[in-house]
Amino acid sequence: MEQRILLLAIKGRDADVIDQLLTRVGHESVICESGEALAREARRGAAIAVVTEESLLDADLSGLGAWLDDQPSWSDFPFVLLATKRAGRRPRDALRMLEQLGNVVVLERPVHSDTLASAVNSAMRGRSRQYEARRRLEELQLAEGRLTNLNGSLEARIAERTEELSSANNQLMQEVAVRERAQAALAQSQKMEAVGQLTGGIAHDFNNLLTVIFGNLELIQRRTEDEKTAKLADFARQAAERAAKLTHQLLAFSRTQNLTLKAVDLNGLVTGMHDLLDRTIGPMVRIEMVLDAAEPWALADANQLELAILNLSINARDSMTEGGVLTISSTRQMAQGSDLAPGDYAVISVTDTGSGIPPELMAKVFDPFFTTKPIGKGTGLGLSQVYGIAQQSGGTVRLSSVEGRGTTVEIWLPTAAAVVSAPEDVFRAEADAEGPHQRILVVDDDDAVRRFIVECLQSLGYSVDEAADGEAGLRVLQGSRPDLLIVDYAMPGMTGVDVVLKARVVAPGVPILLATGYADMEAVDRVMPMESVLRKPFRLSELGMAVRKALAPATV
């Protein structure tokens, strides 16, 4: 359509003659009957227009003029005008018409066919260059559009990438924070483990000393008839009991003390402590107990748990210098957090309205020997003992505090099914002293402890052999079979567990008691039931009860 030549020659045979001429030189032409037809065909598409002057002068050119005015920037539609030959200047109407057409080549008639063909070809080439300019302009516009789209998508991609980088950076910062917390927790755990090993080692030697002190004081009290001597021995015994309590605290923190874990009624335990707490805490602090109606039971050592609650209550009292409220509550909760395995737990909470703990001291409160109390007012083992008891029981301790408003310490313990406890047997030294005279072998590397145990057993009426180490004890076993073997755990060369394992081969069926104040409790638990472990320091009555229970099957 764009290669067509439009013809407007409304007089005579001009249109047909021009059409024939253009057809011979290879052009396609369209004859228009009027100015309106010329404008209509131009809108459909044409290369040039060949018109006669007289056709334009008599035609309505308003439509053609409007089309010419609306041409795009690349288009300048060419005309070849076949003008009437005139003498002198052209009339004003003719000049106005030429100005309106714009791109016009004027050929005065008569025109030779070659001249017309040359003019048409020249106009066609000019129109072709306009088409080329249009093509380039369209390409530029298309490229500009693509560039615009690219810029838009680039901004979107930049925004998306920025968001991804921001998200990755946030995740990295979170991972760094988690790693820092994990490293801090690891350092704290390693510190607590190292201190635990140190305290456990100290407790081992200290318990041996206390065993001898306790036993000999009790023997003095049993054998003396002098009231003053008995009273002095009782004073010494009370001091030894305080030392034993301190040792138990050290062992609880180091988690090397073998707790007697049983099902404990938390409500009953707390209620039973009410009188003790009233006397210990004093009148300035009001004690409130908020106990769960569901009556939670926990797997714990009742004696150690009572001691933990008492320690927490004393700490709470000391923080309320002007009085306040001490609240002890029990409940059951599901574990949430990384410090506990998932499951159901029984929780004892001790809450005060005291001064609270400064944030910078929160990380130190469970450290052994750390205390904010004046010198001589506290050992710094209270909270560390609570921590050790909870950890060894399979739970944990959680602490929250607001400075100036108070502190809450929660002891989380594994739940246990409710049980009805059977009454405990009561030891009567006199009955045991008059009983049958079984033979007992005592193996202990500490001369003082071994001598004490031998004296105690002989005072109870038993026949006793003794050995200073595991090898010597096994040789005695091979020579003659005793009715009971009492062996210490911590001995050079062979531990008590090693002796137990070999004794079961050498003398199968012989009852065994393992005496220990500090031991690798996992190793002990693998070979000895809880009731066959005698914990140091022990009293004469405790030794007698353990021996009687161990020998009971053999005497039935």
Side-chain angles (χ1 to χ4, degrees):
M1 296 291 288
E2 291 183 343
Q3 298 301 320
R4 299 186 306 168
I5 299 175
L6 304 181
L7 302 180
L8 180 59
I10 58 178
K11 292 186 177 180
R13 295 185 63 255
D14 290 344
D16 294 332
V17 173
I18 297 172
D19 179 51
Q20 293 174 5
L21 173 61
L22 296 177
T23 300
R24 284 199 302 269
V25 296
H27 297 299
E28 178 187 356
S29 58
V30 177
I31 298 175
C32 301
E33 298 177 351
S34 64
E36 292 180 0
L38 178 64
R40 184 171 60 252
E41 292 297 333
R43 286 190 177 90
R44 293 180 61 195
I48 68 171
V50 179
V51 298
T52 59
E53 185 177 6
E54 59 271 16
S55 299
L56 292 176
L57 291 174
D58 297 336
D60 181 6
L61 300 180
S62 58
L64 181 61
W67 175 75
L68 291 173
D69 292 339
D70 291 339
Q71 289 182 101
S73 59
W74 58 267
S75 178
D76 188 12
F77 191 77
F79 290 88
V80 176
L81 179 64
L82 302 180
T84 304
K85 189 174 182 180
R86 300 177 182 275
R89 292 179 58 85
R90 289 183 175 276
R92 183 175 297 175
D93 292 342
L95 293 175
R96 190 182 304 113
M97 177 193 64
L98 292 176
E99 183 180 352
Q100 186 177 5
L101 294 178
N103 185 9
V104 181
V105 176
V106 180
L107 299 178
E108 290 188 350
R109 294 182 292 182
V111 179
H112 194 275
S113 59
D114 292 339
T115 303
L116 178 59
S118 177
V120 168
N121 289 334
S122 177
M124 292 286 286
R125 286 193 298 271
R127 188 60 171 172
S128 296
R129 286 193 292 271
Q130 292 180 23
Y131 290 153
E132 179 65 19
R134 179 188 63 181
R135 184 185 66 78
R136 293 184 179 275
L137 181 60
E138 290 175 348
E139 289 178 352
L140 288 174
Q141 291 174 342
L142 182 61
E144 182 181 5
R146 287 198 298 266
L147 181 60
T148 301
N149 293 336
L150 182 61
N151 287 338
S153 62
L154 179 61
E155 292 178 359
R157 289 198 303 273
I158 291 175
E160 181 180 355
R161 184 59 177 165
T162 301
E163 184 177 354
E164 291 177 357
L165 291 174
S166 176
S167 176
N169 184 65
N170 291 338
Q171 183 177 358
L172 178 61
M173 295 303 294
Q174 291 174 358
E175 292 176 354
V176 168
V178 170
R179 183 174 180 179
E180 289 178 350
R181 288 195 297 270
Q183 289 176 337
L186 176 61
Q188 179 70 7
S189 175
Q190 291 173 337
K191 180 182 72 173
M192 300 289 275
E193 185 67 24
V195 175
Q197 292 176 357
L198 174 64
T199 55
I202 294 173
H204 164 246
D205 294 335
F206 202 48
N207 271 331
N208 278 340
L209 296 174
L210 286 174
T211 300
V212 177
I213 294 171
F214 265 125
N216 285 284
L217 286 173
E218 191 168 356
L219 289 175
I220 291 173
Q221 287 181 303
R222 287 169 58 89
R223 295 179 180 180
T224 185
E225 296 180 358
D226 181 41
E227 182 178 349
K228 185 176 182 181
T229 301
K231 187 174 182 181
L232 292 175
D234 186 60
F235 289 155
R237 181 187 57 79
Q238 292 177 16
E241 286 179 348
R242 288 196 296 271
K245 179 180 177 181
L246 178 61
T247 307
H248 288 160
Q249 290 176 325
L250 289 170
L251 287 171
F253 168 73
S254 64
R255 289 175 289 171
T256 53
Q257 177 173 275
N258 196 0
L259 301 183
T260 305
L261 299 180
K262 297 180 181 179
V264 177
D265 177 10
L266 295 188
N267 287 1
L269 183 141
V270 172
T271 302
M273 294 182 65
H274 197 284
D275 291 341
L276 173 63
L277 292 174
D278 272 343
R279 292 193 301 269
T280 304
I281 301 305
M284 293 186 62
V285 175
R286 185 174 80 253
I287 300 175
E288 295 183 355
M289 295 188 176
V290 183
L291 306 180
D292 193 336
E295 299 183 351
W297 284 66
L299 188 64
D301 185 315
N303 293 330
Q304 294 294 330
L305 185 56
E306 284 183 348
L307 185 59
I309 295 173
L310 181 60
N311 281 338
L312 293 178
S313 300
I314 292 173
N315 285 345
R317 178 203 64 188
D318 293 343
S319 71
M320 296 181 285
T321 55
E322 298 181 0
V325 178
L326 171 65
T327 304
I328 302 176
S329 60
S330 66
T331 185
R332 292 182 63 168
Q333 297 187 42
M334 295 298 295
Q336 293 181 352
S338 59
D339 57 340
L340 283 176
D344 194 15
Y345 288 82
V347 182
I348 288 285
S349 301
V350 179
T351 303
D352 63 65
T353 57
S355 57
I357 301 173
E360 65 272 11
L361 299 182
M362 290 289 285
K364 301 180 180 179
V365 293
F366 293 118
D367 291 359
F369 305 109
F370 174 80
T371 179
T372 57
K373 298 177 182 179
I375 296 176
K377 297 297 184 179
T379 62
L381 287 171
L383 283 177
S384 64
Q385 179 198 26
V386 175
Y387 175 84
I389 291 172
Q391 289 284 317
Q392 197 172 350
S393 302
T396 191
V397 178
R398 293 179 177 176
L399 184 146
S400 59
S401 182
V402 178
E403 192 171 5
R405 297 181 59 182
T407 301
T408 296
V409 181
E410 297 178 344
I411 306 175
W412 290 62
L413 300 168
T415 56
V419 296
V420 178
S421 301
E424 294 186 359
D425 193 8
V426 178
F427 174 76
R428 296 184 301 277
E430 294 77 8
D432 280 324
E434 298 172 358
H437 297 262
Q438 288 94 347
R439 178 168 163 267
I440 300 174
L441 173 60
V442 177
V443 182
D444 197 309
D445 66 307
D446 190 301
D447 294 338
V449 175
R450 187 175 68 253
R451 209 50 250 155
F452 155 68
I453 297 176
V454 170
E455 290 284 343
C456 289
L457 292 175
Q458 289 175 343
S459 71
L460 295 175
Y462 297 103
S463 174
V464 185
D465 293 331
E466 57 182 291
D469 55 52
E471 293 288 350
L474 290 174
R475 286 195 296 270
V476 174
L477 277 177
Q478 290 173 339
S480 61
R481 180 187 178 97
D483 296 299
L484 175 66
L485 171 63
I486 300 177
V487 58
D488 184 36
Y489 172 80
M491 295 187 297
M494 296 178 63
T495 67
V497 171
D498 298 330
V499 175
V500 168
L501 293 175
K502 292 189 177 182
R504 288 174 177 172
V505 177
V506 174
V510 173
I512 301 174
L513 283 177
L514 183 66
T516 178
Y518 164 68
D520 180 354
M521 301 318 300
E522 291 185 3
V524 173
D525 291 340
R526 285 195 295 267
V527 298
M528 299 295 294
M530 183 69 67
E531 59 271 14
S532 297
V533 177
L534 185 61
R535 291 184 294 178
K536 298 178 182 178
F538 49 80
R539 296 169 177 78
L540 176 60
S541 59
E542 294 170 337
L543 175 63
M545 180 72 73
V547 169
R548 188 175 68 185
K549 287 183 178 180
L551 289 172
T555 60
V556 174

